[in-house]
Structure formats: structure tokens, C-alpha cells
Amino acid sequence: MKASRREILLDPLFDNNPIALQVLGICSALAVTKQVATALAMCVAVLFVMVFSSLTISALRRRIPPDIRIVVELTVITSLVIVTDQVLKAYFFDISLRLSVFVGLIITNCMVMGRAESFAMRNSPFPSLLDAIGNSLGYAVVLLAVASVRELFGRGRVFGVVVLPNVSDGGWYVPNGLMELAPAGFLLIGCFVWLLRWWKPKQQEARDVR
Amino acid sequence: MFGEYAGLLTEAIFTQNLALSYYLGMCSFLAISRRVETALGMGLAVTFVLTVTCPLNHLLYHNLLAKGALAWIPGAAEVDLSFLMLLFLIGTIAATVQIVELTIEKVSPKLYAALGIFLPLIAVNCAILGGSLFTIERDYTLAESTVFGFGSGVGFAVAIVALAAIREQLRYSDVPAALRGLGISFIVVGLMSFGFLALSGM
């Protein structure tokens, strides 16, 4: 049974989310979610790399020898990341400064590689394109949700706009330093998964008792 | 001399644990930690790849890519190829992973099936690229980078086996249905990383 194009595009948003269900791309989800603006820039960069890597790999899929496919896939992804990095440095220097190391992290974002390996290698370019867009959006949903919570409680702002005035600026809110540390990222993604599966019980895991 | 390496080793295993202090390699960390047995296999594979790639990338960087490394070619003393660094590092890693994959497939088909897509994904395990980047950034010598690679791999293995052990016990506890599996694992890892934060003196 082949999934329809609509399903390929929209499923990764909530029904088959790359972070919450496929367990892909978590490292960067922890690293860049302290502020919404950084998270958003990261999502755009990932979308770009995903789309072009899926297209390229899917177009080349019959020519890539299976034994060295990892090397080929990574070369494609790495070249795209280097291009993204150079473009950001040339045209969007502010964003590039803010993202700095994280652009390099896209290479090791297992979501890009994971989708290349499990989808683009087996499907033609157009469905692969839809799959890439869908998964990037699913990734963005989680990143932006987690980043909003962390920025709101860690700094009293959302997207740089003051929501809860800090004590240091004469307001009443004492920022919660915990939100700035990575354990908070784990706990929040855990809670996100909890909410998602409470809403979509089909994703719940069966009791695993021998 | 020996003490220095021992210090580096404990540092890499505990206080600077790649998984729990730097949050690298999280995807396979969470996905492969369901059973202690497979977690151990994953830990060993990562240890092997890290021990091989850290010194290899060290050699590659200092003899080919760093500024002035090509000085033995007339007129190339000023060539700086470090913008190609990521491509080279990833190339070494991917080749090593592919060798490991072929070996495991031949030697233990059961482990191969259990690791599934996460075996090729070791190549994009950020812990491994992170390990190589750290050895270059911190200017380790060749011996030091071997020790560091090995120690980091052991540290990752310790962390993933510990998590798998906790998850095996969790099976008998009454976790809310929606939190079962992945959700509770995130929370467990969060709590574990609080512990490791304490090791580095937070």
C-alpha cells in the first residue's frame, strides 16, 4: 500500500513526528532551544538541507552502490551544510553569528540522514521532497514549542519580547535558571511526548512485561 | 606521564561524559537503550569507532588540513584547507562505520537486526563527530587523542548501559500510558544528567 502524497507531507507533523516518535534529531533539539529565534533559524537551515539532500539522494538512488551508501549520503549532506554555512555567513551574518556551531551540527542531525536512508533511498524525487518538507515541519513544531517554554520561563521573554518582566529590570519575575540548562530540555521534550501521546493514544507503547 | 593519561581517561568517562554532559549522541542513546544486551552492543560499536576515528582524524587534520600542513609542497605553505575539515572528518567516520556495519552483519546477525537503522546512524552520531572536533579543538597529541577517544566511548557505553538497566526496571512500574516508553525515558535521562552535572561541580 502506498501512502498518498498528502499523508507523506502531513503525517510527520503529529502522527509520525521525527522527534517524538521516530527518535531522530534530538541532540540539536536540546542544543538550540534556549531561545525561539535561534530555534527558528535552525529550523529554516534544516529545511533547506533536508529538501536538497532528499532530492539529490533520491535522484541518485539507483547509482549509489549499497556498500558505500553511507559515505555518499554524508558527502551530499556535508556539502549542503557547508554551502548553507557559507551563504549564511555571506548574506545573513547576524544569524550566522547566533547559530555558529549549530550549523555544523546539522550534519550530525540524524533526522537528515535517517530520512535519506529510510525514505529517499527507496522513493522517487517528488515524494522524497514532500517527505523532507513534512519531516522538517514536524521537527520545527517540537523545536518551537520547547523553545517557547524555555525562553518564557528561563528569561521571561518569547521571541525576544518581554512577557514576564524580570526582577533585574524592575519587574516581578525571577527567571528560572534551570530552564537554561540542558536537563530542562530533556524534561520538556518528555512532557511534549506525554501530551502528544495523550492526544493521540495510537502512539502509546504497549506494556513491555515479559 | 601515566597519571596524565589516567586523568584524561577518567575525565572522558565521567566528568566530561559525551552523552550526559555534552548531550551528544542522544538519538541512539534513547532509541537503543531498551535492553541491556543491545545497549552493550551499541556501546561497544561506538567505543570502537571513537577509538579509531579520533586519532585518525587527528593525523588527517595536522598533516593535511591545518594551516601550513602542506608546507612540504613548494609554494603551498600558506594553504589553509580547514574549511574542508567537516567533510574530511565525516568521511573518515562514515568509512569506519561502514566497516563496522559489514563486520557486525557477518559476525552477529542478531545484533545487526536489533541495532537496525541505528547502526548506519552511528555515522551521524554527534558523539563521534563531537569527539573528533574536541580532539582538534583541545590540541591533543596523537596518544592523548587515542586515550580520549577510547575514554569517551567507554563513557558513552557506561551511560547507555546504565539507562538501559533503569528502563528494564521501569517495565514493572506503573507509568501513565501516554508517558510509557519514550516519554519516561526522556525524563529519566533528564534526571541522570542532573547527576552528571553534579560531577563537574555545578
Side-chain angles (χ1 to χ4, degrees), chain A residues 166-206:
Chain A
N166 284 354
V167 169
S168 54
D169 306 329
W172 53 271
Y173 183 68
V174 182
N176 184 349
L178 174 65
M179 285 292 160
E180 297 275 294
L181 297 172
F186 285 114
L187 300 181
L188 285 174
I189 296 180
C191 295
F192 185 89
V193 173
W194 188 2
L195 287 177
L196 185 67
R197 291 186 179 182
W198 173 67
W199 176 39
K200 302 232 176 219
K202 225 196 287 175
Q203 295 180 15
Q204 290 173 7
E205 289 171 44

Side-chain angles (χ1 to χ4, degrees), chain A residues 20 27 67 108 110 182 205 208, chain B residues 23 27 98 124 126 129 171 181-182:
Chain A
C27 326
D67 280 347
T108 50
C110 24
E205 289 171 44
D208 184 19
Chain B
Y23 318 101
C27 313
Q98 193 95 60
V124 279
C126 356
L129 185 65
R171 253 185 288 153
L182 187 63

Side-chain angles (χ1 to χ4, degrees), chain A residues 13-183:
Chain A
L13 276 186
F14 296 108
D15 288 325
N16 191 14
N17 188 287
I19 293 184
L21 194 65
Q22 303 174 43
V23 204
L24 294 173
I26 290 166
C27 326
S28 57
L30 290 166
V32 297
T33 48
K34 278 183 205 167
Q35 288 176 53
V36 180
T38 337
L40 187 67
M42 183 68 178
C43 294
V44 175
V46 166
L47 178 73
F48 170 82
V49 174
M50 276 286 279
V51 163
F52 284 96
S53 76
S54 280
L55 274 181
T56 319
I57 290 166
S58 154
L60 290 173
R61 71 188 186 284
R62 289 181 216 282
R63 295 178 186 273
I64 300 177
D67 280 347
I68 58 154
R69 62 176 196 288
I70 299 176
V71 184
V72 177
E73 285 163 12
L74 276 180
T75 313
V76 172
I77 295 169
T78 311
S79 316
L80 282 166
V81 170
I82 293 178
V83 170
T84 316
D85 195 23
Q86 303 285 340
V87 168
L88 281 178
K89 273 187 189 145
Y91 296 103
F92 304 97
F93 195 64
D94 290 352
I95 299 179
S96 142
L97 278 185
R98 219 176 319 150
L99 280 177
S100 64
V101 251
F102 302 131
V103 180
L105 270 180
I106 300 178
I107 301 176
T108 50
N109 188 325
C110 24
M111 187 180 68
V112 184
M113 172 83 171
R115 295 320 293 174
E117 176 81 353
S118 61
F119 198 92
M121 282 299 279
R122 291 177 200 147
N123 291 282
S124 51
F126 186 64
S128 304
L129 173 69
L130 293 180
D131 180 72
I133 296 175
N135 276 286
S136 308
L137 293 179
Y139 174 78
V141 167
V142 181
L143 245 69
L144 294 178
V146 173
S148 313
V149 177
R150 281 180 85 175
E151 199 182 341
L152 178 63
F153 292 109
R155 306 186 175 196
R157 297 151 188 251
V158 172
F159 222 105
V161 178
V162 178
V163 178
L164 307 171
N166 284 354
V167 169
S168 54
D169 306 329
W172 53 271
Y173 183 68
V174 182
N176 184 349
L178 174 65
M179 285 292 160
E180 297 275 294
L181 297 172

Side-chain angles (χ1 to χ4, degrees), chain B:
Chain B
M1 189 69 181
F2 176 75
E4 213 174 278
Y5 290 131
L8 186 62
L9 193 66
T10 39
E11 199 173 82
I13 298 177
F14 295 108
T15 50
Q16 312 228 359
N17 191 298
L18 280 184
L20 292 170
S21 303
Y22 287 101
Y23 318 101
L24 294 171
M26 275 304 128
C27 313
S28 38
F29 189 65
L30 283 160
I32 309 290
S33 53
R34 211 161 289 218
R35 297 258 181 283
V36 170
E37 209 177 300
T38 40
L40 194 60
M42 184 70 183
L44 291 180
V46 168
T47 309
F48 177 78
V49 175
L50 265 171
T51 318
V52 173
T53 54
C54 279
L56 209 58
N57 278 333
H58 173 90
L59 284 178
L60 205 63
Y61 180 76
H62 286 284
N63 292 310
L64 196 63
L65 299 175
K67 196 169 183 210
L70 291 175
W72 49 275
I73 303 175
E78 286 297 303
V79 175
D80 183 1
L81 288 178
S82 42
F83 71 97
L84 286 176
M85 180 172 78
L86 285 175
L87 200 54
F88 271 79
L89 298 189
I90 272 297
T92 325
I93 292 169
T96 316
V97 169
Q98 193 95 60
I99 295 169
V100 172
E101 189 190 355
L102 293 175
T103 318
I104 293 187
E105 192 180 3
K106 288 276 182 310
V107 176
S108 167
K110 201 177 140 203
L111 183 60
Y112 183 76
L115 292 179
I117 191 182
F118 282 91
L119 194 52
L121 284 184
I122 296 182
V124 279
N125 188 323
C126 356
I128 291 171
L129 185 65
S132 286
L133 285 173
F134 280 144
T135 56
I136 290 168
E137 207 172 275
R138 297 179 189 163
D139 254 333
Y140 286 144
T141 63
L142 184 62
E144 279 172 347
S145 57
T146 317
V147 173
F148 175 77
F150 177 71
S152 305
V154 172
F156 184 85
V158 167
I160 196 173
V161 170
L163 178 64
I166 295 178
R167 285 183 71 173
E168 283 202 354
Q169 294 306 310
L170 270 181
R171 253 185 288 153
Y172 304 109
S173 38
D174 195 14
V175 179
L179 203 54
R180 226 177 269 150
L182 187 63
I184 193 74
S185 311
F186 267 115
I187 290 171
V188 168
V189 178
L191 296 176
M192 276 171 86
S193 77
F194 275 126
F196 273 74
L197 266 185
L199 278 180
S200 53
M202 277 289 290

